[in-house]
Amino acid sequence: DAKTTQPPSMDCAEGRAANLPCNHSTISGNEYVYWYRQIHSQGPQYIIHGLKNNETNEMASLIITEDRKSSTLILPHATLRDTAVYYCIVRVGLNQAGTALIFGKGTTLSVSS
Amino acid sequence: ETGVTQTPRHLVMGMTNKKSLKCEQHLGHNAMYWYKQSAKKPLELMFVYSLEERVENNSVPSRFSPECPNSSHLFLHLHTLQPEDSALYLCASSQALAAYNEQFFGPGTRLTVL
């Protein structure tokens, strides 16, 4: 199972871009990179996922390196409501039926005005 | 109601009580999950159901008993719990088990075992 490494915490000024890194050097070719976030006392919220190519949606952009050993989640204009714990997850196989999310400790992003 | 709902939102129980947590998803998904989040620990996967069949029991003690009567509902039956079982219990669902399907989480049930 691929594991991920993230910095425990990061700070970001409101309105600036927040770039959250993640290392997943043992990722397999068919494993997806997912990002979730968890605002205090709420359930995790899906942000974005990708396999090889860079992805963008209304919430964020995901940049995956060519060798797929690391990725960066970009929140282009961070707001105070983006303060949360951000989890980088690599989907792993679960028996032969599907996959599970294995959460690490994540990065606590603090956005300040 | 939309999304994934969980009831109750808060629960306090004694070690000899029997209680149940309920999860309902209104997304038409076929897979449902129970996770446990203890203080200062990562989320831990407990159970996975696909099309009402359990596909994973992640070494969870037998005092936790899941039930999935249909693809929209998931229960977690609790009995003779320990204080260390106090945690946030999260339910999630996804369209299917495939790796490219994101999971949608409910707000969780905050459980306190006295």
Side-chain angles (χ1 to χ4, degrees), chain A residues 38-93:
Chain A
Q38 188 173 22
I39 297 171
H40 182 63
S41 296
Q42 297 183 21
Q45 176 190 23
Y46 165 81
I47 300 174
I48 199 168
H49 74 281
L51 183 62
K52 296 182 197 176
N53 301 321
N54 298 336
E55 302 288 344
T56 295
N57 62 22
E58 63 278 3
M59 288 183 69
S61 295
L62 174 61
I63 308 298
I64 302 175
T65 57
E66 193 168 342
D67 62 8
R68 304 209 325 124
K69 293 185 177 182
S70 65
S71 61
T72 301
L73 177 75
I74 301 172
L75 308 178
H77 305 287
T79 70
L80 297 178
R81 288 178 295 180
D82 292 321
T83 293
V85 180
Y86 287 77
Y87 297 99
C88 169
I89 300 162
V90 173
R91 296 295 289 270
V92 298

Side-chain angles (χ1 to χ4, degrees), chain B residues 2 4 8 16-18 21 27 31 33 35 38 46 48 59 62 75-77 83 88 90 97 103-104 108 114:
Chain B
T2 58
V4 181
T16 58
N17 292 157
K18 289 185 180 180
L21 309 185
L27 301 167
Y33 312 77
Y35 288 86
S38 304
M46 299 176 73
V48 181
S59 301
S62 59
F75 294 89
L76 187 63
H77 303 300
L88 180 67
L90 290 155
L97 289 179
Q103 293 183 14
F104 294 81
L114 301 177

Side-chain angles (χ1 to χ4, degrees), chain A residues 30-32 34 36 38 40-46 49 87 91-92 94-95 97-105, chain B residues 9 33 35 37 40 42-43 45 48 55-56 88 90 96-108 110:
Chain A
N30 60 350
E31 290 179 321
Y32 288 75
Y34 272 79
Y36 282 76
Q38 188 173 22
H40 182 63
S41 296
Q42 297 183 21
Q45 176 190 23
Y46 165 81
H49 74 281
Y87 297 99
R91 296 295 289 270
V92 298
L94 176 65
N95 299 332
T99 65
L101 291 175
I102 308 297
F103 286 80
K105 295 183 179 180
Chain B
R9 293 294 309 276
Y33 312 77
Y35 288 86
Q37 187 172 34
K40 299 183 180 179
L43 274 81
L45 178 67
V48 181
V55 296
E56 177 69 6
L88 180 67
L90 290 155
L97 289 179
Y100 49 82
N101 289 150
E102 62 266 33
Q103 293 183 14
F104 294 81
F105 285 80
R110 175 70 62 185

Side-chain angles (χ1 to χ4, degrees), chain B residues 35-88:
Chain B
Y35 288 86
K36 174 185 178 183
Q37 187 172 34
S38 304
K40 299 183 180 179
K41 289 177 68 176
L43 274 81
E44 303 169 66
L45 178 67
M46 299 176 73
F47 301 103
V48 181
Y49 277 82
S50 176
L51 297 172
E52 299 128 59
E53 286 192 21
R54 189 191 305 180
V55 296
E56 177 69 6
N57 173 359
N58 226 21
S59 301
V60 179
S62 59
R63 57 186 182 269
F64 295 92
S65 175
E67 179 189 2
C68 188
N70 55 62
S71 60
S72 299
H73 293 86
L74 185 65
F75 294 89
L76 187 63
H77 303 300
L78 316 171
H79 65 97
T80 59
L81 294 192
Q82 304 298 313
E84 59 264 30
D85 296 320
S86 298
L88 180 67

